Amino acid sequence: MESGPPHLSPVPGTEAVPHHHPHPGVPGMPMPPQMMPMTTPVGLQAIYQACRRLYADQPNPLQVTAVVKYWLGGPDPLDYISMYSNPGDPNRGIPAHWHYVSFGLSDLYGDGRVHEYTGPEGPSGFGFELTIRLKKETGETAPPTWPAALMQTLARYVFQSENVLCAGDHVSWHNALDSSESRIQHMLMAEDPLLQSILSPMGTINFIQIIGVTAEELQAAQRWNGPGILELLRNVPVAGGPWLLTDMRRGETIFEKDPQLQEVVERGIETEGSNLSGVSAKCSWEEMEESREEREESEETVRQRITPHESEQIKAELRRGLMGQHGSGAAGFGTGAGADLTDHVNHNTDRERKDSLSSSGSTEEVKPGELQRSQTMDAVHVKINKEAGTLLPLVMRGRLKHGRHFTFKDVSGNSAITFVSPRVMGAIADESHPYASRGPWLQVLIPEDFLEAVIKDLEELSNTEELVVPKQYRWREKGLTISVLPDDW
């Protein structure tokens, strides 16, 4: 079924929505409280009412509408995106802006056409809707529609991956959000400052606001954590201010505006560690020859590619503890806007940190032996591309030093490499056997008495402007070699 581009329309009134009659229900599906025919569905009504409490003077704002609804075979999960004019708060230095609110990630209808109805006690649909606050341009009288397209893209990611977006998450986009020459090319997620959580008859709905940020600010969020950078943005009026507005014309990062903020980030990493638990990368590993020769010829060799089944098993095991239950933990190196967002969205692992490789609370069980049996090695050689390799100092200082773990997952599916601290429970590597693999998944345990030497030797990788590759670091007595290679390797 083909669909045209989204079009603008006024918000339907509360009395009737002629083109949105509630479905009569789906057989076998529980039904929410009854809705009168021709009235606005109660999920829609709940969001409308929340918006009207803020914008009583705008009962019919402009709205971007998907021509063919998702539940009729259309490509866009969001049925509507309302666009309100907000005057800001001059007394607090908050400028006038456009406020966008999505409709469709939560359960709007309660009849099973999009989301399964599970009752009012849990989340409604995915439990949230998206918002954006975009600073108005001088003389601008109508809201731009590109934020609606951006919200649809994020919504498709949520529907396809079933990963919800939460405050503190970040999305690497690698392109100006409005396709201009702007430095605002990435996104952080925060709670909308004025739209509070609401309870609809289909469950709870939170409002998660998208904030446009620069590459430097995204990198700081990756190296430290999203909530910490959000707090810095709130305290810099031109970079967001208390309401975290997105200004596509902003030409300075918060670190250029106030260089001392970089020291705040570094102190935060040193004292709290980093919430970044993994990235996509070009990487591989191999057992060193001196170690391999000692292995009996009858032992199985490492397979060279992760099968789709193994990939899902590794992802499940990572979700159970390594990367937290809510996210992919991937940073999306080497891919541009419009690619699969699974490798662009980083989830804030601080909200449910587990320094363990297993968790009884997981909904996805990986039974022992499902992956190839584990094997240990005396010496290994890890190879990684330059962009990912520049994170190695952070891996050691911000993750392992704080008893955590970090995974590089090869973008082509050939391997996965996890660095672990001895304090991480459930790892297949231990201090007696620091290099262990399960199929193409390698775990490298760095003992605490070895960690400081590794941090010192790898620190030069932090200076990305002067870094020349290839570089090789070898700790012969420990049996570990790390090579950092060009990105096009």
Side-chain angles (χ1 to χ4, degrees):
M1 181 178 298
E2 294 183 355
S3 64
H7 68 274
L8 295 175
S9 66
V11 174
T14 56
E15 298 77 21
V17 187
H19 56 294
H20 288 109
H21 299 300
H23 279 199
V26 177
M29 292 291 294
M31 289 293 291
Q34 293 297 314
M35 296 177 287
M36 294 297 291
M38 298 297 290
T39 60
T40 304
V42 291
L44 279 166
Q45 179 77 342
I47 302 174
Y48 288 156
Q49 288 177 346
C51 292
R52 286 188 180 118
R53 284 193 286 270
L54 290 181
Y55 301 106
D57 61 334
Q58 300 176 61
N60 292 294
L62 287 177
Q63 189 174 66
V64 173
T65 303
V67 174
V68 179
K69 299 295 185 284
Y70 193 69
W71 38 274
L72 292 175
D76 298 324
L78 303 176
D79 281 5
Y80 311 106
I81 298 163
S82 289
M83 301 177 289
Y84 295 91
S85 177
N86 191 303
D89 187 343
N91 294 328
R92 299 173 62 191
I94 300 170
H97 58 277
W98 303 110
H99 190 195
Y100 300 73
V101 182
S102 76
F103 294 75
L105 286 160
S106 64
D107 190 352
L108 304 179
Y109 304 100
D111 56 12
R113 71 180 77 177
V114 178
H115 301 282
E116 179 181 356
Y117 174 71
T118 56
E121 293 80 15
S124 171
F126 288 108
F128 73 101
E129 294 289 352
L130 291 169
T131 74
I132 303 178
R133 294 177 181 272
L134 179 66
K135 182 182 177 183
K136 286 185 179 181
E137 300 284 354
T138 302
E140 195 170 53
T141 58
T145 57
W146 64 260
L150 184 69
M151 295 166 89
Q152 290 285 15
T153 301
L154 291 174
R156 281 192 289 272
Y157 159 76
V158 173
F159 272 80
Q160 291 166 8
S161 69
E162 297 187 349
N163 286 326
V164 301
L165 296 173
C166 299
D169 290 349
H170 48 281
V171 180
S172 54
W173 195 245
H174 300 288
N175 193 45
L177 303 188
D178 62 352
S179 300
S180 68
E181 299 299 318
S182 173
R183 293 183 69 179
I184 307 303
Q185 300 188 0
H186 306 280
M187 293 167 269
L188 298 183
M189 303 293 155
E191 294 178 354
D192 191 286
L194 299 183
L195 272 177
Q196 305 299 313
S197 297
I198 60 174
L199 181 63
S200 83
M202 272 74 76
T204 302
I205 305 171
N206 299 314
F207 294 93
I208 300 300
Q209 182 172 316
I210 301 164
I211 300 97
V213 296
T214 67
E216 294 84 355
E217 291 154 359
L218 172 80
Q219 184 182 48
Q222 291 175 331
R223 295 179 63 244
W224 183 22
N225 60 62
I229 299 303
L230 288 172
E231 190 59 32
L232 297 184
L233 290 168
R234 288 188 182 98
N235 292 319
V236 180
V238 298
W243 292 2
L244 292 171
L245 271 60
T246 294
D247 179 2
M248 295 306 298
R249 291 188 177 275
R250 175 161 67 94
E252 288 184 301
T253 72
I254 57 174
F255 307 111
E256 291 165 345
K257 194 71 176 175
D258 184 354
Q260 293 184 347
L261 295 182
Q262 189 64 59
E263 298 177 9
V264 174
V265 173
E266 296 303 322
R267 286 198 300 269
I269 294 171
E270 192 67 32
T271 58
E272 303 168 16
S274 170
N275 279 3
L276 182 63
S277 56
V279 298
S280 296
K282 291 183 67 175
C283 62
S284 66
W285 64 272
E286 60 185 0
E287 184 178 3
M288 295 292 285
E289 188 65 30
E290 57 265 35
S291 175
R292 190 186 300 106
E293 289 175 352
E294 297 175 1
R295 190 175 306 284
E296 295 182 6
E297 292 183 359
S298 60
E299 278 195 323
E300 296 182 7
T301 58
V302 177
R303 277 183 284 170
Q304 294 302 306
R305 184 169 181 83
I306 298 176
T307 67
H309 183 57
E310 287 174 330
S311 181
E312 289 305 312
Q313 291 172 340
I314 289 174
K315 287 180 182 178
E317 194 152 337
L318 292 175
R319 290 191 193 102
R320 293 197 301 166
L322 238 163
M323 290 185 174
Q325 196 168 327
H326 292 292
S328 64
F333 288 144
T335 51
D340 181 2
L341 269 181
T342 300
D343 286 340
H344 285 258
V345 180
N346 282 272
H347 296 269
N348 175 30
T349 57
D350 190 50
R351 61 178 174 269
E352 188 174 341
R353 181 179 297 137
K354 300 177 183 177
D355 296 322
S356 168
L357 294 186
S358 62
S359 168
S360 59
S362 172
T363 58
E364 299 187 61
E365 292 295 331
V366 177
K367 297 178 181 178
E370 281 190 337
L371 290 171
Q372 278 192 329
R373 64 186 180 86
S374 303
Q375 65 180 33
T376 60
M377 292 155 282
D378 294 327
V380 294
H381 184 185
V382 171
K383 300 176 183 179
I384 192 165
N385 70 302
K386 177 182 175 181
E387 187 171 6
T390 59
L391 289 174
L392 283 168
L394 173 71
V395 171
M396 304 302 162
R397 184 165 59 94
R399 296 295 294 178
L400 270 63
K401 191 174 181 179
H402 293 266
R404 302 175 194 168
H405 41 71
F406 191 96
T407 295
F408 294 98
K409 187 174 184 296
D410 184 55
V411 292
S412 61
N414 289 336
S415 61
I417 302 165
T418 299
F419 289 89
V420 298
S421 160
R423 287 179 278 169
V424 173
M425 297 180 292
I428 57 175
D430 57 38
E431 294 199 61
S432 298
H433 303 93
Y435 313 120
S437 67
R438 184 174 293 164
W441 183 16
L442 173 70
Q443 292 184 15
V444 177
L445 184 143
I446 306 293
E448 293 184 1
D449 60 359
F450 178 34
L451 182 60
E452 288 301 326
V454 175
I455 291 174
K456 181 179 179 180
D457 291 342
L458 296 180
E459 190 58 37
E460 65 176 343
L461 294 174
S462 299
N463 190 352
T464 57
E465 292 183 0
E466 298 181 7
L467 180 61
V468 178
V469 294
K471 280 189 175 294
Q472 186 174 95
Y473 303 89
R474 188 168 191 179
W475 299 272
R476 187 180 296 275
E477 71 284 1
K478 297 293 185 180
L480 176 62
T481 301
I482 298 176
S483 291
V484 180
L485 303 172
D487 287 327
D488 56 1
W489 148 65

